[in-house]
Amino acid sequence: MKIALMDSGIGLLAAAAAVRRLRPDAELVISNDPDGMPWGPRTPEGVAERALAVARAAAALEPDALIIACNTASVHALPAIRAALEPEIPVIGTVPAIKPAAAGREPFAIWATPATTGSPYQRGLIREFADGVPVTGVPCPGLAEAVEHADDAAIDRAIAVAAALTPPEVRTVVLGCTHYELVAERIRMALRPDGGPLTFFGSAEAVAAQGLRRAGIMPAPDAAQVGGLTVLLSGRTGALPDVALAYPEGRLLQAVSPAR
């Protein structure tokens, strides 16, 4: 039983930790791209090229499913990766959780990278799932990069800028970049310092559950903690980056995964 996850960097940690919580006995493969990151500034063709290489590196280890734990790669490379790997390996993309956020018909905000905010992709999701609902797109310049480097001061600055652009009446926020889920509580404190209600919609739990479903694996959170962890760095076998341990999700993976 093996589940692979891919991203340019450590944004996949939230989804990987979610898989680990659902199946502590599953083998995990983490495939990222330190040689080519960040993917965001690349052309769509450039993103697809790098993402496909990272996906092929993970596929070589014959996982039961591959989760693309990256919004940018899902937008630009999902069709190419599916064409290359399916049906042998099910491929699960990451989509901003606009549909469930819009279900309450209340105003909400979408925090995303500047490239994604206002993109045809995001506008299409809003038209499809949130027509008639007040939606505020909030660009978050520098936040993903700050999270990637665990730069606390830069994280706080980027969150403060985005919080100032978020309407004060908003009580629901879609986290439209996988990196943001790693600092969700810091975002909460910036938006609701008084402890008032705030609901986040991320993607980690949903894609983890979908990855197991597509692989035909039932959740078993009480299973023995025997699942190993393989880390691929631009195709090379390596170790979980030290920066990953700055986040609870990274520490969970290290604590639960047996040493290899």
Side-chain angles (χ1 to χ4, degrees):
M1 177 173 30
K2 184 183 296 183
I3 302 294
L5 303 99
M6 59 167 283
D7 185 13
S8 61
I10 64 170
L12 51 68
L13 288 177
V19 173
R20 178 60 84 221
R21 287 190 293 267
L22 291 171
R23 288 301 305 231
D25 55 345
E27 296 285 324
L28 294 186
V29 176
I30 289 177
S31 184
N32 59 25
D33 188 27
D35 292 355
M37 68 174 299
W39 287 348
R42 293 180 178 271
T43 64
E45 295 77 15
V47 172
E49 179 182 3
R50 298 301 305 191
L52 186 55
V54 168
R56 289 189 185 279
L61 299 183
E62 301 181 340
D64 296 296
L66 170 67
I67 295 171
I68 305 176
C70 173
N71 295 87
T72 299
S74 296
V75 171
H76 298 303
L78 180 57
I81 294 173
R82 281 184 167 160
L85 302 185
E86 290 187 337
E88 288 80 8
I89 300 174
V91 177
I92 298 89
T94 297
V95 176
I98 292 172
K99 182 178 180 179
R105 312 303 295 175
E106 297 292 333
F108 67 93
I110 306 171
W111 282 36
T113 63
T116 298
T117 301
S119 66
Y121 169 70
Q122 182 162 298
R123 289 199 303 269
L125 291 174
I126 293 171
R127 281 196 305 270
E128 183 176 359
F129 299 117
D131 187 37
V133 179
V135 180
T136 302
V138 178
C140 304
L143 181 53
E145 291 80 4
V147 172
E148 181 69 33
H149 295 97
D151 184 334
D152 286 333
I155 290 170
D156 288 341
R157 287 194 299 269
I159 288 176
V161 169
L165 298 175
T166 305
E169 70 272 13
V170 162
R171 297 291 182 270
T172 299
V173 175
V174 174
L175 299 177
C177 172
T178 53
H179 281 77
Y180 302 171
E181 296 188 53
L182 300 177
V183 292
E185 289 310 307
R186 293 170 74 165
I187 295 173
R188 182 186 301 279
M189 287 188 291
L191 290 174
R192 289 290 175 271
D194 59 355
L198 183 66
T199 300
F200 287 126
F201 283 89
S203 58
E205 300 294 335
V207 297
Q210 178 69 352
L212 292 183
R213 281 195 296 270
R214 291 288 305 279
I217 300 169
M218 294 294 293
D222 295 327
Q225 297 182 3
V226 295
L229 177 67
T230 299
V231 178
L232 300 175
L233 307 173
S234 298
R236 306 177 300 273
T237 302
L240 197 65
D242 288 343
V243 69
L245 303 181
Y247 302 101
E249 293 85 351
R251 295 193 293 273
L252 171 67
L253 294 178
Q254 183 185 60
V256 175
S257 302
R260 282 290 187 261

